[in-house]
Amino acid sequence: MSMNQIAFGTGIAGVRVSMAKPWAVRAELPKAPDLCADRSILRSGSSSSRRRDLVFVVNPSGANGRTGKEWKKLLPYLRSRLGADCNICESVTSGPSHAIDITREAIREGADAVIVVGGDGTLHEVVNGFFWAGKPVTNHDREATRSTALGLIPLGTGSDFARTFGWKNDPHEAIDRIAKGQRSRIDVGVISGEDGEPHYFVNVADCHLSAKAGYYASRYKRFGNLCYVIGALKAFVGHRNQDLKIKVNEGAWELYSQVTALCIGNAKFFGGGMKITPNADPHSGNFEVVILQDFKWYDFILKLHKLYNGTHLTVKNVSSRSVHSIEVEDVSGSGSIYVQSDGEHLGFLPRKFCILPSAVEMIC
């Protein structure tokens, strides 16, 4: 697939323009910036080659259309704050997995950063775009000394990953962070199933009730954060706790009876602000695994405040452990235990989850 096919450029004035290098938009002009038509600009040695090439991956339908509207309002500030030092590209996604393609091509062409404008779903796709066939995507220029960084302007429904860093849904604050350009390497989780195809995540992966709730919640995003409540209510219908087998750090299999939910955190929050894995740290090189056992529907009502403020680890039938890999299987072999990561439905157990320490540089 060619670059023109997967990442069209849109000028700040809103006019779509075809170009040889569609993700590099020149932002130094105040109204209708020109586009970088020279595909070799990053290798030319000109003054513009020293400018940072930033690719903004925008999901216009995110947060029930709010992301697209907020992005348009944000453009003048973005241009004033970054235009003097950066080549700016606006790449608008057109459907599922488009952000993955945009990201891979931007990395191959040597972008300084790929910046997510949206929520955890768009972030999830962009993170998966940093990898291809089980390996990191790399710059075509083998002499390049700087890797492409991941950035985030949180404008989604939940924006749970941003909460781990204490970031608000404040796009101006996010742009100031991008302007400073400070980088830190973060861990990435990788999930493999029976088909062997790896899938990547940066926030939280989970199994059973919470994953089923997330599956239903994704159908009600138009209701904002209320979608998580609706998803949970629907997931409880017909829910049964299940016995699961887990293998931690390539050790022996262990049986966990009557599991309600199993959560694997690279970061702390999911479900619109629930601090489910409160000790998780994306710089630690480990997951935090939290397992809820034998929970009834009324347990969630009585203990919901503890789940949201992260004090549930002292509750009966809740356990936590730090791991770098974990395999999970359904004892019954029914193939009906839901799995999700970063709010994206991935199918059903069995699955293996492993940590990739310091896998991606992030602007933070």
Side-chain angles (χ1 to χ4, degrees), residues 222-243:
R222 63 186 179 277
F223 295 113
N225 276 344
L226 186 61
C227 72
Y228 299 111
V229 177
I230 298 171
L233 292 173
K234 288 184 71 68
F236 269 118
V237 176
H239 169 77
R240 289 186 176 87
N241 296 326
Q242 297 286 346
D243 296 343

Side-chain angles (χ1 to χ4, degrees), residues 19-255:
M19 53 183 169
K21 191 175 185 178
W23 51 265
V25 178
R26 298 294 293 275
E28 63 266 29
L29 298 181
K31 292 185 179 180
D34 296 330
L35 305 177
C36 296
D38 181 3
R39 195 172 181 83
S40 65
I41 188 167
L42 294 181
R43 301 186 274 281
S44 66
S46 65
S47 60
S48 61
S49 69
R50 292 190 294 272
R51 294 163 59 87
R52 295 167 63 198
D53 290 277
L54 305 180
V55 181
F56 291 84
V57 181
V58 185
N59 175 14
S61 62
N64 199 28
R66 182 176 62 85
T67 299
K69 295 174 183 176
E70 292 294 324
W71 170 247
K72 289 179 181 178
K73 295 177 184 177
L74 190 61
L75 284 172
Y77 183 74
L78 178 79
R79 190 166 62 238
S80 66
R81 191 73 174 84
L82 300 175
D85 303 308
C86 304
N87 299 322
I88 298 170
C89 166
E90 175 191 15
S91 287
V92 180
T93 61
S94 59
S97 301
H98 191 194
I100 297 175
D101 293 332
I102 293 171
T103 302
R104 286 173 179 160
E105 192 67 15
I107 294 171
R108 287 165 182 153
E109 290 299 323
D112 186 81
V114 177
I115 297 162
V116 176
V117 182
D120 294 316
T122 308
L123 175 64
H124 181 79
E125 286 199 5
V126 167
V127 167
N128 275 270
F130 273 76
F131 301 88
W132 171 257
K135 297 179 180 179
V137 178
T138 58
N139 190 337
H140 283 321
D141 182 0
R142 297 183 180 276
E143 296 181 3
T145 58
R146 190 174 176 88
S147 63
T148 300
L150 172 67
L152 176 62
I153 298 178
L155 285 176
T157 302
S159 295
D160 282 311
F161 182 70
R163 298 175 196 264
T164 291
F165 295 89
W167 298 341
K168 302 174 183 178
N169 267 19
D170 183 342
H172 294 85
E173 181 182 287
I175 289 173
D176 292 342
R177 196 162 52 241
I178 292 162
K180 292 176 183 177
Q182 295 181 350
R183 297 181 173 205
S184 169
R185 298 203 75 90
I186 64 167
D187 307 331
V188 172
V190 58
I191 306 169
S192 55
E194 292 179 324
D195 60 0
E197 185 67 25
H199 197 92
Y200 301 89
F201 70 100
V202 289
N203 195 39
V204 177
D206 52 305
C207 310
H208 206 16
L209 179 65
S210 56
K212 189 176 181 181
Y215 172 77
Y216 286 120
S218 66
R219 300 181 176 187
Y220 296 94
K221 289 292 183 74
R222 63 186 179 277
F223 295 113
N225 276 344
L226 186 61
C227 72
Y228 299 111
V229 177
I230 298 171
L233 292 173
K234 288 184 71 68
F236 269 118
V237 176
H239 169 77
R240 289 186 176 87
N241 296 326
Q242 297 286 346
D243 296 343
L244 300 181
K245 291 194 305 180
I246 71 169
K247 181 191 291 187
V248 169
N249 299 340
E250 306 298 337
W253 286 102
E254 305 172 42
L255 177 65

Side-chain angles (χ1 to χ4, degrees), residues 258 260-261 290-296 299 303 312-319:
Q258 295 299 293
T260 308
V290 170
I291 303 176
L292 280 60
Q293 294 174 267
D294 200 24
F295 266 51
K296 308 297 190 295
D299 288 312
K303 298 162 186 174
H312 56 288
L313 298 187
T314 59
V315 170
K316 181 182 178 182
N317 293 342
V318 177
S319 59

Side-chain angles (χ1 to χ4, degrees), residues 336-354:
S336 61
I337 305 292
Y338 283 68
V339 178
Q340 72 166 2
S341 66
D342 299 347
E344 301 298 311
H345 176 63
L346 299 181
F348 306 92
L349 292 179
R351 287 290 190 276
K352 182 176 182 178
F353 307 80
C354 298

